[in-house]
C-alpha cells in the first residue's frame, strides 16, 4: 500500500453496515488524494423472473438513486465536497465482480462494512467480506458496524515473524503516517522461552533499523491459542485498528489451523486491515 495509489474501492449493498464504513473510505481517499470508487453488484431472484427486463430496470433505478443519496450525504462534509467519486453498478456475483473491478480501476485498498461480532460462524464464513479477505491481492479494510472510529489514532500490528512481515510493517507505517497514529507491534508466543525472546527482540531491532517512525512500541503475550488473547486485548482496546498479514497456507494447515485474519474480521468489534504477505500468490 502506498499513499500514491489512485483509487479507494468501496463495495456497498446500501446497508447500515456499508453506510457506517463509507466515511472511513472517503477519509482515506481524501488524505491520499485518491478517487473513491463506489461499487454495487446485484444478484437476486429477479435474474430468473418472467418480467426480467422490467425488474432489472427497476433495480438499476433504485441503485442509482441510492448512489446519489450516499454521495449527497457524504459531500455534506466540506472536506469531501471536491472528492472525485466514480460509481459502478453491475449484476452478477458480488465477489467476482468486485475482484475484477478493483483490479481494473487500479485500486490500492478495498474498504468494506461488515456485521462484526455475530456469534454465528456459518453466516460469518459464508459472507462476501470473508471471501474478499481470503481472495484479494490488495489490502482489505473491514469495518464492523459496532466499531468506534477515532481517526485511526491507535494501530495494533500482529506478527508471527513470517517472511514478509517486515515489509508489511513498512506498509503499516505508511498508513499510520496518514493519521499520525501510534503503532503497537504485538506477538503471541505459545510459551515464555529463550527462543521466543530472541525472536521478539530480533524483530524489534529489525523494525527499529529499517522503519523510520518513532511512534512504535512492542509487546509480547504468552498463550497457546492466539484468538482468545487477541479477543481479550480488543475488549480492552476497542478504539484500535487491528492489522494482520495474510499468508498462503498449505491444504493441511487450512484444515487444522484457524485462519486468524478471516475469523478476526467478524468476531472483533474493531476495524481490521488485512495485508498480503509475501508468500501469497494470487
Amino acid at each position: 500500500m502506498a499513499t500514491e495509489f489512485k483509487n479507494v474501492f468501496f463495495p456497498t449493498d446500501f446497508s447500515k453496515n456499508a453506510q457506517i464504513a463509507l466515511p472511513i473510505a472517503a477519509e482515506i481517499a481524501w488524505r491520499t488524494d485518491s478517487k473513491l470508487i463506489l461499487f454495487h453488484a446485484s444478484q437476486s431472484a429477479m435474474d430468473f423472473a418472467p418480467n426480467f427486463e422490467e425488474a432489472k430496470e427497476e433495480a438499476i433505478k433504485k441503485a442509482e438513486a441510492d448512489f446519489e443519496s450516499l454521495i449527497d450525504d457524504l459531500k455534506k462534509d466540506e472536506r469531501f465536497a471536491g472528492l472525485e467519486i466514480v460509481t459502478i453498478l453491475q449484476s452478477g456475483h458480488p465477489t467476482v465482480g468486485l475482484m475484477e473491478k478493483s483490479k481494473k480501476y487500479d485500486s490500492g485498498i478495498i474498504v468494506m462494512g461488515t456485521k462484526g461480532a455475530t456469534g454465528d460462524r456459518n453466516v460469518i464464513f459464508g459472507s462476501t467480506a470473508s471471501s474478499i479477505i481470503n481472495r484479494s491481492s490488495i489490502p482489505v479494510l473491514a469495518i464492523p458496524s459496532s466499531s468506534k472510529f477515532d481517526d485511526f489514532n491507535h494501530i495494533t500490528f500482529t506478527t508471527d515473524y513470517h517472511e514478509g512481515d517486515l515489509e508489511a510493517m513498512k506498509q503499516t507505517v505508511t498508513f499510520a503516517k496518514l493519521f499520525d497514529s501510534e503503532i503497537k507491534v504485538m506477538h503471541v508466543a505459545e510459551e515464555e522461552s529463550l527462543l521466543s525472546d530472541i525472536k521478539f527482540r530480533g524483530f524489534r531491532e529489525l523494525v527499529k533499523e529499517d522503519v523510520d517512525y518513532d511512534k512504535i512500541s512492542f509487546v509480547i503475550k504468552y498463550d497457546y491459542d492466539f484468538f482468545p488473547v487477541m479477543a481479550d486485548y480488543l475488549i480492552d482496546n476497542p478504539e484500535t485498528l487491528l492489522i494482520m498479514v495474510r499468508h498462503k497456507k498449505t491444504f493441511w494447515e487450512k484444515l487444522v489451523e484457524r485462519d486468524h485474519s478471516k475469523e478476526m474480521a467478524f468476531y472483533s468489534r474493531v476495524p481490521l486491515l488485512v495485508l498480503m504477505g509475501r508468500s501469497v500468490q494470487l
Side-chain angles (χ1 to χ4, degrees), residues 147-241:
S147 64
K148 299 178 180 179
F149 177 60
D150 69 340
D151 241 6
F152 298 131
N153 291 325
H154 304 281
I155 292 175
T156 300
F157 175 87
T158 63
T159 178
D160 279 334
Y161 313 132
H162 285 294
E163 189 73 22
D165 278 13
L166 184 59
E167 182 61 33
M169 185 66 208
K170 294 177 182 178
Q171 295 179 42
T172 297
V173 167
T174 297
F175 189 87
K177 287 180 177 179
L178 295 175
F179 299 91
D180 195 29
S181 311
E182 295 180 357
I183 302 173
K184 179 177 289 185
V185 180
M186 176 179 290
H187 172 68
V188 179
E190 291 186 353
E191 59 184 357
E192 191 169 359
S193 66
L194 177 60
L195 181 59
S196 64
D197 191 45
I198 289 173
K199 289 181 177 180
F200 174 73
R201 291 170 183 255
F203 189 76
R204 182 178 61 188
E205 292 308 310
L206 283 174
V207 170
K208 289 181 178 180
E209 290 175 6
D210 291 359
V211 178
D212 182 21
Y213 197 62
D214 59 5
K215 291 188 173 184
I216 305 177
S217 60
F218 299 81
V219 63
I220 185 170
K221 293 182 177 293
Y222 301 98
D223 198 290
Y224 282 92
D225 194 342
F226 168 90
F227 180 67
V229 173
M230 287 307 304
D232 289 342
Y233 172 81
L234 295 175
I235 289 173
D236 294 334
N237 298 271
E239 296 185 354
T240 193
L241 164 65

Side-chain angles (χ1 to χ4, degrees), residues 8-129:
V8 174
F9 198 89
F10 183 79
T12 178
D13 57 1
F14 306 116
S15 65
K16 180 181 178 181
N17 300 328
Q19 291 175 10
I20 291 172
L22 179 57
I24 299 176
E27 182 79 22
I28 295 171
W30 176 70
R31 289 181 183 250
T32 57
D33 195 24
S34 306
K35 291 181 184 177
L36 177 60
I37 310 297
L38 305 183
F39 171 85
H40 175 73
S42 62
Q43 183 183 41
S44 65
M46 79 169 191
D47 295 341
F48 310 100
N51 57 341
F52 166 72
E53 291 299 333
E54 181 180 343
K56 181 178 179 181
E57 184 177 347
E58 187 65 27
I60 290 174
K61 288 181 179 179
K62 184 180 185 306
E64 289 175 343
D66 287 338
F67 270 141
E68 185 175 350
S69 178
L70 284 180
I71 294 172
D72 287 345
D73 287 344
L74 193 63
K75 292 199 171 186
K76 289 177 182 178
D77 186 325
E78 61 181 17
R79 295 176 304 162
F80 305 146
L83 193 64
E84 186 173 356
I85 301 176
V86 176
T87 60
I88 303 173
L89 176 61
Q90 70 175 47
S91 60
H93 194 282
T95 301
V96 174
L98 189 157
M99 300 305 297
E100 291 176 350
K101 295 300 184 182
S102 63
K103 290 181 179 179
K104 179 179 179 180
Y105 282 81
D106 195 20
S107 303
I109 187 171
I110 297 171
V111 182
M112 58 196 312
T114 68
K115 292 181 180 179
T118 66
D120 187 340
R121 287 192 186 182
N122 292 325
V123 172
I124 284 168
F125 291 124
S127 70
T128 299

